[in-house]
Amino acid sequence: GLESLKYKKAVHPFLNIGDRCRTVTDRTFRSLVEQQCLEDVVAIVKNQIKAGAQLIALNFDGGMEASTQMSMYCNLLASDPECCSVPFVIDSTSFDVLEAGLKCTL
């Protein structure tokens, strides 16, 4: 996201991480990504934020074009004012995918 997180343990003892945007662990999300249902993916992120997520975890591992997907969805989410109101956690076991996500933050 475009906003930074100002975390103070005394004020917020826990961080709420939206964890629905992971193709490895969420079948619904994976299906939406495979079908390129962009509006539905954005809706998932918005729902997590409305439910109190302070960070959104993004993971596109699992046999897909993960680097391309990471770039595309990071840019898509960063262009939505509500989605980019929280930081993204770029998550992957592949350095190329991590790099693709981080390049979107420049």
Side-chain angles (χ1 to χ4, degrees), residues 1-3 42 46 49 76-86:
L2 301 177
E3 299 294 324
V42 170
K46 287 181 178 182
I49 294 169
L76 172 69
L77 297 172
S79 70
D80 183 279
E82 192 173 343
C83 292
C84 71
S85 67
V86 300

Side-chain angles (χ1 to χ4, degrees), residues 24-82:
V24 176
T25 58
D26 191 302
R27 290 182 192 165
T28 302
F29 183 74
R30 182 183 180 106
S31 177
L32 293 173
V33 169
E34 288 172 345
Q35 296 171 31
Q36 294 188 355
C37 298
L38 305 179
E39 293 172 4
D40 293 330
V41 168
V42 170
I44 286 175
V45 172
K46 287 181 178 182
N47 287 336
Q48 291 181 102
I49 294 169
K50 287 177 186 171
Q54 296 161 297
L55 301 159
I56 297 293
L58 300 172
N59 179 288
F60 295 93
D61 292 351
M64 303 180 340
E65 296 177 11
S67 294
T68 302
Q69 296 291 343
M70 182 64 81
S71 294
M72 183 174 81
Y73 284 99
C74 280
N75 286 322
L76 172 69
L77 297 172
S79 70
D80 183 279
E82 192 173 343

Side-chain angles (χ1 to χ4, degrees), residues 89-101:
V89 177
I90 308 299
D91 177 25
S92 180
T93 57
S94 167
F95 181 78
D96 292 338
V97 178
L98 292 171
E99 185 177 39

Side-chain angles (χ1 to χ4, degrees), residues 3-31:
E3 299 294 324
S4 62
L5 176 68
K6 294 173 179 76
Y7 174 72
K8 294 182 180 179
K9 189 174 181 178
V11 177
H12 302 289
F14 298 101
L15 285 176
N16 296 319
I17 300 175
D19 205 26
R20 292 271 331 275
C21 297
R22 300 172 53 83
T23 57
V24 176
T25 58
D26 191 302
R27 290 182 192 165
T28 302
F29 183 74
R30 182 183 180 106
S31 177

